[in-house]
Amino acid sequence: MTGRPVRTGRGAGQGSAGELLELVRSRRAVTRGALQQATGLSRATVGQRLDRLFRAGWLREGAGGPVDSPLGGRPSITLEFDDEHAVVLAADLDTRHARAAVLSLSGEILAEHSGTLVVEDGPDAVLGELGRWFGELLEKTGRGAESVCGVGLAVPGPVDTETGRVVQPPMMPGWDGYDIRSRLARALTEHTSAAAVPVLVDNDANLMAYGEQRTGYPDCSAFVLVKVSTGIGAGVVVDGAVFRGVDGGAGDIGHIRVPEGAQTLCRCGSYGCLAAIASGGAVARRLAEAGVPAASGSDVRDLLASGHPDAVGLAREAGRRVGDVLATVVTLLNPGVLMIAGDLAGTPFLTGVRELLYQRALPRSTAHLEVVTARLGERSGLVGAGAMVVEHLYAPERVEERLRALGV
């Protein structure tokens, strides 16, 4: 997980140890000489600050780099972020299913578990079960609880990232305002004896977008991911950072009102929401009304995989309705990539999206647009949640706090 762009130089933290680590992590400066040049610090000062990072176990020396001088000499020793000194725990909650994993600091999934976990059972039960999963996963990797540096959680609802609490989530009854961070931290301690570590929470579409953009499209400055499962949500990444709006509500396109749904009640309590007529849950409801067993977006996914004709037809129709709304989204944001993810992310739905999107959006808005499906599949949220934790813990200003706490 490489770091996102940050300011460098003496005006951005005075060339702190945290700033040096960020330069190494982002591969913008990987030798002592390059760090001197990037920060304007003396050789001795760079050496002192690197020594703190080595003592913390966060840096290691790599192979020698090329010899820059025409006079020859020994190659410069390169510096690397040591992504093995700790691990991150991550979980991705859907309405009826969840995935959890142990990840390295570079984003590699070391162990993974998925299973049924119903958010309607309430936060205490669900988060307690996640703590148990995390304990089993750590045992599987052979890593001790002391190696965990943080936990990331993706949830299917709007999140106030300052507090980690969901705000009026239509798909998560009983979770509104609940202290997720404290409960999950307690569950982790109960099942692993781990010391308290930071727990970060964000919307699932946001973290899916973050994970996909970083791993597959790092040079895309405007990236949009739309998750269509039991509900519909979007994540937007601009210049390498998730765009959340003023209070975490950005991307909630499932509750845009559309004329076709004027008579349809949404789970949020309003009529006419896009999610009420075009989500996986909406398709499942229409299939059930036609006598086809389906209760959720995951059931629709299974029917699509088997080529069920009714499911295929309804998924394409749902794609057209979502594509109509996305024409406005694309015209407004002018993204380079529009990614479709979730239970309905297959050929029928994608075909429907493209039909209406290219028909309704301005040609200039789609001239350089890629419309694709998720590369990471069901792991998008896990990778994004892990990256969120790493970027939080190793941000330059937080590095200084953590080094002081370690006494180095």
Side-chain angles (χ1 to χ4, degrees), residues 109-171:
I109 293 179
L110 306 176
E112 183 179 7
H113 175 76
S114 64
T116 300
L117 206 54
V118 182
V119 294
E120 290 186 355
D121 289 344
D124 186 63
V126 169
L127 298 174
E129 183 68 359
L130 278 182
R132 186 179 70 81
W133 287 10
F134 284 145
E136 293 175 352
L137 287 169
L138 283 172
E139 287 185 15
K140 186 182 293 186
T141 62
R143 301 295 296 256
E146 73 284 351
S147 67
V148 177
C149 64
V151 182
L153 176 64
V155 297
V159 176
D160 178 347
T161 53
E162 291 298 316
T163 64
R165 300 173 189 243
V166 291
V167 182
Q168 300 177 357
M171 313 293 290

Side-chain angles (χ1 to χ4, degrees), residues 306-352:
S306 67
H308 192 286
D310 290 345
V312 169
L314 289 173
R316 182 164 179 171
E317 180 184 334
R320 287 171 58 85
R321 287 171 168 169
V322 173
D324 197 8
V325 170
L326 290 179
T328 300
V329 172
V330 166
T331 301
L332 177 66
L333 297 178
N334 189 208
V337 175
L338 172 63
M339 179 173 284
I340 306 299
D343 292 328
L344 266 60
T347 300
F349 186 86
L350 194 64
T351 299

